[in-house]
């Protein structure tokens, strides 16, 4: 034991990075609660992140509804479970079902856009500070 990877994992920079990662997901959960006015169950925040960030990467921030449950990939979740989380995101006001050219789509709402963008800005800033301090190129 004590190889290069183990030494790296024990470094101050990695410890700060792990602490920040945990804090960022607590912050994400707080943002969901603050914006929606509702609490999410333990574990739901991460699945909601995957769904909302997936939509944030799509053209026009939307995907055809009948394809969404197969296209959104969350490790170990079946399409019917993803459907449940999409419904939850809709109830919380982060996603809306819209008609476009005779086809139903799910799309990020302005609230969904704001919560993802604000979270990403925070992550970019905080992770950038750690990179500059501990892992300069």
């Amino acid at each position: 034991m004590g190889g290069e990877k183990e030494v790296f994992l024990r470094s101050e920079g990695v410890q700060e990075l792990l602490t920040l990662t945990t804090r960022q997901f607590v912050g994400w959960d707080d943002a969901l609660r603050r914006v929606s006015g509702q609490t999410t169950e333990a574990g739901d925040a991460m699945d909601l992140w995957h769904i909302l960030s997936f939509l944030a990467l799509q053209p026009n921030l939307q995907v055809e509804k009948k394809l969404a449950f197969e296209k959104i990939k969350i490790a170990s979740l079946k399409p019917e479970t993803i459907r449940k989380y999409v419904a939850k995101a809709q109830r919380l006001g982060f996603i809306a079902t819209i008609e476009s050219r005779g086809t139903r789509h799910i799309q990020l709402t302005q609230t969904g856009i704001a919560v993802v963008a604000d979270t990403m800005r925070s992550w970019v800033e905080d992770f950038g500070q750690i990179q500059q301090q501990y892992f300069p190129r």
Side-chain angles (χ1 to χ4, degrees):
M1 293 285 162
E4 182 180 330
K5 290 181 182 180
E6 290 86 357
V7 170
F8 175 73
L9 289 175
R10 285 191 220 109
S11 72
E12 185 178 358
V14 169
Q15 296 303 311
E16 287 292 322
L17 189 58
L18 291 172
T19 299
L20 175 61
T21 302
T22 301
R23 196 170 62 238
Q24 291 299 339
F25 279 104
V26 168
W28 167 247
D29 194 40
D30 289 344
L32 291 173
R33 186 172 32 262
R34 187 174 49 256
V35 170
S36 70
Q38 298 181 34
T39 59
T40 55
E41 294 178 31
D44 286 359
M46 182 65 106
D47 294 327
L48 288 169
W49 171 254
H50 286 293
I51 290 165
L52 298 181
S53 64
F54 170 82
L55 287 171
L57 296 173
Q58 302 308 303
N60 301 318
L61 309 174
Q62 67 183 24
V63 66
E64 191 174 338
K65 192 167 187 172
K66 70 180 182 179
L67 301 175
F69 309 110
E70 299 296 326
K71 283 184 145 187
I72 299 172
K73 301 294 184 204
I74 302 174
S76 76
L77 293 185
K78 297 177 183 174
E80 54 270 16
T81 306
I82 293 170
R83 186 180 312 268
K84 176 185 98 170
Y85 284 112
V86 166
K88 181 174 187 132
Q90 285 182 294
R91 283 190 309 276
L92 294 172
F94 300 124
I95 295 175
T97 299
I98 62 163
E99 284 284 330
S100 177
R101 299 184 189 129
T103 305
R104 297 184 88 177
H105 291 77
I106 57 171
Q107 181 178 44
L108 280 179
T109 62
Q110 288 302 310
T111 302
I113 292 167
V115 75
V116 171
D118 291 348
T119 298
M120 286 307 302
R121 275 191 203 100
S122 172
W123 290 2
V124 166
E125 183 178 319
D126 292 346
F127 284 109
Q129 289 173 4
I130 286 180
Q131 181 189 8
Q132 289 175 0
Q133 183 175 352
Y134 295 102
F135 307 104
R137 292 184 180 202

